[in-house]
Amino acid sequence: MYRQTDIISDAQVSPQEGDLVINVGPQHPATHGVLHLVITLNGETIKKVEPHLGYIHRSIEKMCESLTYRQFIYVTSRMDYLSAHINNHACALCVEKGLQVEIPARAQVIRVLMDELTRIASHELWWGAMAMDLGAFTPFFHAFRERETINDIMEETCGARLTMNYMVPGGVMQDVHPNFQRRVKEFIQLYKRKIHEYDELVTGNIIFQNRMKGVGYLSPEDAVAYGCSGPVTRGSGVSSDIRKIYPYEIYDKLNFDEVLESGGDSFARYMIRIREMHESIKIIEQLIDNIPEGDFQAKTKAVLKLPKGEFYTRVETARGELGVYIVSEGGTTPYRIKFRSPGFSNLSVLDHIARGSKIGDLVAMMGTLDLVIPDIDR
Amino acid sequence: MFIVKYIKDILGAVKSLAIGMKRTLYYFTHHKEIITQQYPDNKDTLVLPERFKGEVVMPHNEVNEHRCTGCTACELACPNGTIKVVTKFDITPDGKKKKAIDKLVYHLELCTMCNLCIEACPSDAIKMAQTFEHSVYDRSQLTKILNNPGSKIMEGVE
Ligand code: SF4
Ligand code: SF4
């Protein structure tokens, strides 16, 4: 369907005389983590961006192989820590696929609610950090006001703010807190009352728009060829929402739209995430009054053993497609685990979109890719 | 035509900046909407949710009894070797040997607050406490023994 583009052929750009090679990171506030970029510059124009990884490699995949199927899930909160729930969800789904257990309807709804709350929280943080990258500090606090409300909800129900470990094979660990529904409704009201501030402060701002529009163009073909996923591809108009293409849990019964923009530039990717927050609110509104009664966890054995074979599941995190691949030899621990993390593929496109633009735009482009470094390194 | 666009751009920029500044000024004059908490000063009134996972503790009743049978289920459930159950054998009055815990060693510095041990415990002997100010001067202070000295198991817990 898509034309193969000549990305690989221009990969080798070696610095020439008069070029400047600078290092950004590994400790740099704009990279939001320990990412090391080696940038070749010709004057102010970027000739090449080379990401150097490995500074926060914790060998999570290998570590998971020595943990049981109940234990390994908590480690994955530490990959993409802003979508911790969704990471846990993917792993729980994969184990359930192997065990072939039915998840109670209540657990499914709670899981989806938690996923969407996480997605909003993640996009809020991205929005604040993105504006901060461009030099505006105030939006950061505005974003954190709403995000804090979500964190409080999480703290009340799951007992933690960031690394919840709430999804377990068979359902969720505890039932939702009695206050959960009230608190979520309060959050929806707060969100609707405050969301226009986002447009006033950032989206409508001419300086911001000029720095975003037409910058970091990514064509639909390249987005597919690089294996990007999530808002990065949707900003180029390629439909890639796993919730729509390969629905899991109850997503196929829900009424929400896959957000698509055709611009392909930084501004399109920005708008995707802003609009995705509205869609998530829509999903939460549909579910919050309709949490079915029943168990929050299916009955599973104390020691889980997956049958011999290979299992793969994918979910849509706030950053894109997360795949979990488990190879089982029939024992209590996985033989091999592989995570297909969205951040890694999204980072690989940075060199492509940055070439030829000015160094001042690099941070803005990186911001719209929404990179979480521990997710890339694992 | 260029000059018209230029002036329009500048006016648009000024307008959009004014809209943003209005929002900032609004919060500058509306102190009630500020949600910041003054953390170390509000320590006395700060209440964390009852499910907050701060530290694993073992509740004891008034006569220094706990519910732990020494079954080591928590130790097996823990993903990173945080808990070590040291058992001993008590001699019951009728001369039989009975397994009981000597020490339940808990390494707070290793714990990731994942709640798996609490889920695994069959007799609800341990729970999460809502503490969070864990910093100490030496890491050896983080190794704790959860059962009180001289404590024994509650009547009726198997
Ligand atoms: S909370 Fe998790 S890491 Fe901590 S002791 Fe329990 S099982 Fe181990
Ligand atoms: S705390 Fe619970 S799980 Fe751990 S040894 Fe005691 S009774 Fe068993």
Side-chain angles (χ1 to χ4, degrees), chain B residues 139-150:
Chain B
R139 69 174 285 198
S140 62
Q141 286 168 272
L142 290 170
T143 305
K144 302 182 180 189
I145 296 173
L146 293 189
N147 51 329
N148 290 350

Side-chain angles (χ1 to χ4, degrees), chain B residues 56 77-80 82-83 106 110-117 128:
Chain B
V56 177
C78 181
N80 38 28
T82 304
I83 295 181
Y106 171 64
L110 297 177
C111 182
T112 54
M113 318 299 168
C114 66
N115 218 25
L116 289 174
C117 51
M128 281 289 180

